[in-house]
DNA sequence: CGGGCAATTGAAATACATCAAGGCGTGTGG
DNA sequence: CCACACGCCTTGATGTATTTCAATTGCCCG
């Protein structure tokens, strides 16, 4: 009895089905991949991009035409483009170099993991997303970033960003604002994980993603591409893989959403937001 | 059946025992309070204080003697001191003025709440803690801060901080570093809430607090003042009040900790950190 | 064709939450 | 001085949301 008490205190869940960590380092995937035939060749929505909002990205310049839309007098920075296949790791938790990656195309997940396999996804990275504003000035450790779909991203040099940040104070203001938004989102995540039910968490995750996609013009009416596996949803909401499947099933039964293959349709937006407890 | 499905999706837990919100606006508590006889009159550990690390606080100057310990050439700022009784609110979620509060003495909790009463504590504020680094440059909405014990804090003017930040770049570096630490802690919180068991969460909360207290010299060997109610622990770990009581009971049974009144003793630190899954 | 990945489903286990009652200490007002 | 309310903790019984386990299926890819 006594002994079993002790061992009870140590009990860790054992995570079994984690095939996701098995990257397949084949030759083909080391080369820049061909673009998926269905997707437009460049879907990078540079206009909704923080990198553009900060006016970092030299690539965005080509899009806005003359300087009518420029929001800072800071110069734009050089960057290197990479394209990697799904499931490949973009950043390892300990390998944060002098570069800051920004996603240009595709979906990625930024997560933090326990040695025993449990992991928590902190945010999904869509085109235009940076891993974390705090990483602009300081290298960020502990987080790992993994591609969900094929991902194209640009690496900026931190030293250059930093120099610009210190030189152009309006840039700093903008970083501070985005930093604050990030914090607010982290707060909400904690509230979700700590105090909301599975139904609420999943409904909120979907609602949030739909908004994000809409802002980037990545929706097609009420339908959109939705490359998340149930495992991603599970790891983002702190739930088990199986339970996520069941809740999603209920949502479809109840006529809130529809999921077919890799596409999601919002059927009853009001009800979905109701479940999510949206304001 | 169909109808019950629908209503199931909307089910919100109802939170009942929340006596904590009942501030008692008596006359006495509006005046600066007498200092508790047991506590030393000024326990403000300005040396471990971010405000000191940033060299913001003019009060810290008196402590360090001559300028031997100054880490920035930025001038120190004026601030106003307030003392409020336990359970009083320091900041309301929508009332973020142009001031940035920093705790000088006592414990406070920074939290975010749902309309139905559920709430999540995001961090405990000990002497030297600022609510959020991001709030230095931008007003922070949504969070509320509540005193746990009697709390003394200083209000700094954001405009002044901002000016200094922009003027003295070494300050900015330091803010960035602390900002990054904050982000790391937020990540850990999400991991805890999403992927750890009640035992782990509570063990981690305690271990973390002990470390923080030790860093500030607020421990007395393995014993320390511990003013948290079980409700605070519950709201910080996303658990129910009752369950927290049971887990704490187990911890004491197993000889990990001891709690008497308002004081905590770490009996078996190794085992406690083991349960916490400390590295 | 095999094999890894993914979704689904049912049955069982459990880690929690909820409900309810009682005790203890403390401040308050009669 | 005593009631009394209130905040706080405890404990047991009961309920349930969620996890774990296990088996099956389909799918895509090499």
């Amino acid at each position: 009895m006594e002994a079993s008490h002790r061992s009870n205190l140590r009990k860790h869940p054992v995570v079994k089905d984690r095939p996701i960590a098995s990257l397949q380092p084949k030759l083909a995937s080391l080369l820049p991949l061909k673009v998926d035939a269905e997707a437009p060749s460049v879907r990078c929505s540079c206009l909704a991009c923080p990198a553009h909002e900060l006016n970092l990205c030299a690539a965005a310049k080509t899009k806005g035409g003359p300087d009518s839309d420029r929001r800072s007098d800071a110069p734009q920075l050089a960057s290197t483009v990479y394209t990697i296949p799904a499931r490949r790791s973009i950043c390892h938790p300990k390998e944060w170099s002098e570069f800051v990656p920004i996603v240009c195309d595709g979906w990625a997940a930024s997560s933090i993991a326990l040695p025993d396999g449990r992991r928590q996804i902190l945010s999904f990275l869509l085109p235009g997303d940076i891993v974390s504003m705090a990483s602009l000035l300081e290298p960020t450790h502990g987080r790992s970033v993994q591609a969900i779909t094929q991902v194209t991203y640009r690496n900026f040099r931190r030293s250059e960003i930093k120099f610009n940040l210190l030189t152009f104070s309006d840039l700093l203001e903008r970083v501070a604002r985005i930093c604050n938004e990030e914090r607010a989102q982290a707060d909400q995540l904690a509230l979700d994980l700590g105090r909301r039910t599975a139904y609420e968490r999943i409904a909120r995750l979907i609602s949030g993603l739909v908004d994000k996609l809409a802002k980037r013009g990545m929706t097609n009416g009420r339908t959109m591409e939705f490359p998340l596996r149930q495992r991603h949803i599970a790891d983002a909401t702190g739930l088990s893989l199986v339970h996520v499947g069941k809740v999603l099933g209920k949502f479809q039964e109840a006529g809130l959403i529809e999921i077919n293959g890799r596409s999601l349709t919002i059927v009853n937006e009001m009800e979905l937001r109701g479940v999510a407890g949206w304001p």
Side-chain angles (χ1 to χ4, degrees), chain A residues 10 12 15 20 36 71 84 129 139 157 199 203 223 234 259-260:
Chain A
R10 272 191 172 287
H12 278 226
V15 180
I20 231 171
D36 186 344
R71 309 187 212 169
I84 55 167
D129 280 340
R157 197 175 288 275
Y199 287 81
T223 304
I259 298 184
N260 293 319

Side-chain angles (χ1 to χ4, degrees), chain A residues 105-200:
Chain A
D105 187 48
W107 294 46
S110 142
S111 67
I112 179 170
L114 252 30
D116 61 17
R118 291 178 285 177
R119 76 165 187 176
Q120 178 66 44
I121 291 182
L122 299 161
S123 66
F124 293 109
L125 271 29
L126 263 47
D129 280 340
I130 193 174
V131 176
S132 149
M133 272 298 149
S135 71
L136 285 185
L137 282 160
E138 281 245 329
T140 300
H141 303 284
R143 277 192 185 186
S144 62
V145 180
Q146 209 175 37
I148 294 174
T149 63
Q150 178 187 116
V151 166
T152 303
Y153 64 98
R154 309 184 94 89
N155 262 351
F156 292 84
R157 197 175 288 275
R158 180 174 297 110
S159 53
E160 286 186 43
I161 294 183
K162 212 157 153 182
F163 175 79
N164 271 22
L165 237 45
L166 298 178
T167 312
F168 304 92
S169 66
D170 60 330
L171 254 191
L172 192 60
E173 299 266 351
R174 239 166 263 155
V175 169
R177 189 174 49 69
I178 301 179
C179 209
N180 227 5
E181 277 167 26
E182 261 181 22
R183 191 202 49 83
Q185 256 197 283
D187 291 356
Q188 282 299 323
L189 179 62
L191 184 59
D192 287 354
L193 296 174
R195 289 305 187 197
R196 295 207 217 240
T197 68
Y199 287 81
E200 292 175 294

Side-chain angles (χ1 to χ4, degrees), chain A residues 107 124 126 185 188 192 196 198-216 219 221-222 224-226 228 233 236-237 247-248 251 256-259 264-279:
Chain A
W107 294 46
F124 293 109
L126 263 47
Q185 256 197 283
Q188 282 299 323
D192 287 354
R196 295 207 217 240
Y199 287 81
E200 292 175 294
R201 295 187 212 177
I202 295 182
R204 288 177 66 80
L205 177 65
I206 294 179
S207 303
L209 280 174
V210 169
D211 288 351
K212 235 178 143 178
L213 288 169
K215 199 182 296 177
R216 272 151 235 253
T219 58
R222 320 186 123 182
M224 59 214 79
E225 269 185 70
F226 195 74
L228 296 192
I233 302 184
T237 53
V247 172
L248 285 178
F251 280 176
L256 303 191
I257 61 175
E258 247 171 53
I259 298 184
L264 166 76
T265 304
I266 306 297
V267 181
N268 187 341
E269 183 171 356
M270 287 306 295
E271 189 70 11
L272 183 65
R273 293 202 187 272
V275 175
W278 224 253

